[in-house]
Amino acid sequence: MTDHGVKYPYFRLNIVPVVLSLANPPWQREVWLCPDEVESLDHVVHVLFDDFCDADDPQRYLGVCLRTQEEVDLMAKLGAAFSTVSGAIAGGATDEAFLEHEGWAEVVAAAGRLAQAMVRNDQRALAMLDDAGHRWPDG
């Protein structure tokens, strides 16, 4: 089966959930601040800035894991909002310090806009696959 719009859909499978978690303050408090959970802000940052994208400079990820120029632009806004907060907080700060920062609301809002675009675009890609006759599960 092919994916319409991205070269590495596996990258996207990592990016979408962390964008959704950045857009969800209750999730952040319940999961990131719980020592028994695996996901943390550090994990989110690595996915968005190091491992599967570069939220500071996402243009080169268009067609790789970002489907549209709108997603690139929204990822850049998310990266800028996060970098503003990160730059204002001392190194080694806790996840809670990030969540309490006055600029965190803009990070959440930027992630929400990006999440909406990514989910909408994934739904369109799924519809295109269905229209092309691909069915899941295969066989």
Side-chain angles (χ1 to χ4, degrees), residues 57-77:
D57 186 19
Q59 186 63 47
R60 64 190 166 130
Y61 290 90
L62 179 60
V64 174
C65 56
L66 301 174
R67 292 187 190 282
T68 65
Q69 186 62 46
E70 176 192 25
E71 289 182 2
V72 170
D73 296 342
L74 291 170
M75 180 67 78
K77 289 177 183 177

Side-chain angles (χ1 to χ4, degrees), residues 23-130:
N24 188 337
W27 174 268
Q28 296 163 11
R29 294 212 170 273
E30 292 172 17
V31 175
W32 296 354
L33 302 183
C34 178
D36 296 330
E37 295 290 343
V38 175
E39 184 180 312
S40 65
L41 179 57
D42 185 58
H43 167 74
V44 169
V45 169
H46 281 290
V47 168
L48 291 180
F49 289 88
D50 303 323
D51 299 337
F52 299 102
C53 194
D54 179 358
D56 286 327
D57 186 19
Q59 186 63 47
R60 64 190 166 130
Y61 290 90
L62 179 60
V64 174
C65 56
L66 301 174
R67 292 187 190 282
T68 65
Q69 186 62 46
E70 176 192 25
E71 289 182 2
V72 170
D73 296 342
L74 291 170
M75 180 67 78
K77 289 177 183 177
L78 173 57
F82 181 82
S83 293
T84 297
V85 173
S86 181
I89 293 180
T94 65
D95 289 2
E96 189 167 20
F98 279 83
L99 302 184
E100 297 297 325
H101 189 273
E102 63 187 21
W104 193 252
E106 181 51 37
V107 173
V108 170
R113 290 186 292 272
L114 176 56
Q116 183 179 23
M118 293 184 90
V119 169
R120 179 184 64 240
N121 292 336
D122 284 350
Q123 291 294 315
R124 286 182 184 152
L126 286 171
M128 289 172 63
L129 287 169
D130 186 67

